[in-house]
Amino acid sequence: MKAKKRKKLISSMSFIFIILYGVVIIYFTLFSDRLGRVDIGTYQYNLVPFNEIRRFITYRQNLSPWAFILNICGNLLVFVPLGFLIPIWYPRNIHWYHVVIYCLSFSLCIELMQLYTRVGVFDVDDLIMNTTGGFIGWILYHITHSLFRKRRRGRR
């Protein structure tokens, strides 16, 4: 397969993965019974940066390990794939700030849907952790990409 066709196929496949990823994320943040997503009846929000993060760290002994891991690690890790897939989908001059803007925008949409539907809590800390996770994904993409380029050059 020629290089251009292969790149186009990989780009198309990553776009499909991004769409599927988005659907799964929206499902788990708005509809999943496993995460206790029910209509809470009132608008709940946190607009103070690092307030919930600090609370989860301070009271981690009183919380279940699952709650701590889900909130702190889960919000970071859930956006790593998006940060990794964006440069594959659109490889031309994609910079870290593009990935940060895309991840922040997607996370903001999710948080606003949670606020509007009153399912879950609009939390600025989630925006911070999700965006940071996307940035970590972008870093992992560049590390992986440079390793593959070095490996390919070594074969020639």
Side-chain angles (χ1 to χ4, degrees), residues 5 39-40 45 57 66 97 99 106 112-113 123 144:
K5 283 186 178 182
D39 184 352
I40 52 181
Y45 52 88
I57 291 172
W66 175 248
Y97 52 87
V99 172
F106 183 54
L112 288 172
M113 283 191 288
D123 191 353
T144 305

Side-chain angles (χ1 to χ4, degrees), residues 33-129:
D33 289 338
R34 181 176 170 95
L35 296 178
R37 302 298 183 204
V38 294
D39 184 352
I40 52 181
T42 61
Y43 294 107
Q44 292 189 0
Y45 52 88
N46 167 40
L47 301 176
V48 180
F50 305 106
N51 188 44
E52 284 297 303
I53 295 170
R54 188 175 24 255
R55 187 174 70 85
F56 267 85
I57 291 172
T58 302
Y59 298 107
R60 68 183 174 276
Q61 311 87 297
N62 302 338
L63 300 169
S64 71
W66 175 248
F68 179 79
I69 289 169
L70 184 65
N71 193 3
I72 302 298
C73 300
N75 278 315
L76 269 173
L77 295 177
V78 76
F79 270 62
V80 170
L82 185 60
F84 192 90
L85 288 171
I86 289 171
I88 296 171
W89 166 54
Y90 193 79
R92 284 175 259 211
N93 296 327
I94 193 92
H95 297 286
W96 67 270
Y97 52 87
H98 295 122
V99 172
V100 166
I101 290 169
Y102 289 138
C103 291
L104 178 63
S105 300
F106 183 54
S107 182
L108 182 61
C109 287
I110 290 170
E111 294 297 320
L112 288 172
M113 283 191 288
Q114 285 182 324
L115 182 66
Y116 179 74
T117 61
R118 299 178 187 152
V119 174
V121 177
F122 179 95
D123 191 353
V124 71
D125 291 347
D126 289 351
L127 292 173
I128 293 167
M129 288 187 290

Side-chain angles (χ1 to χ4, degrees), residues 8-26:
K8 189 170 182 165
L9 176 65
I10 290 171
S11 177
S12 299
M13 293 295 290
S14 67
F15 181 71
I16 291 169
F17 283 129
I18 288 172
I19 297 298
L20 291 173
Y21 166 83
V23 169
V24 168
I25 295 301
I26 289 171

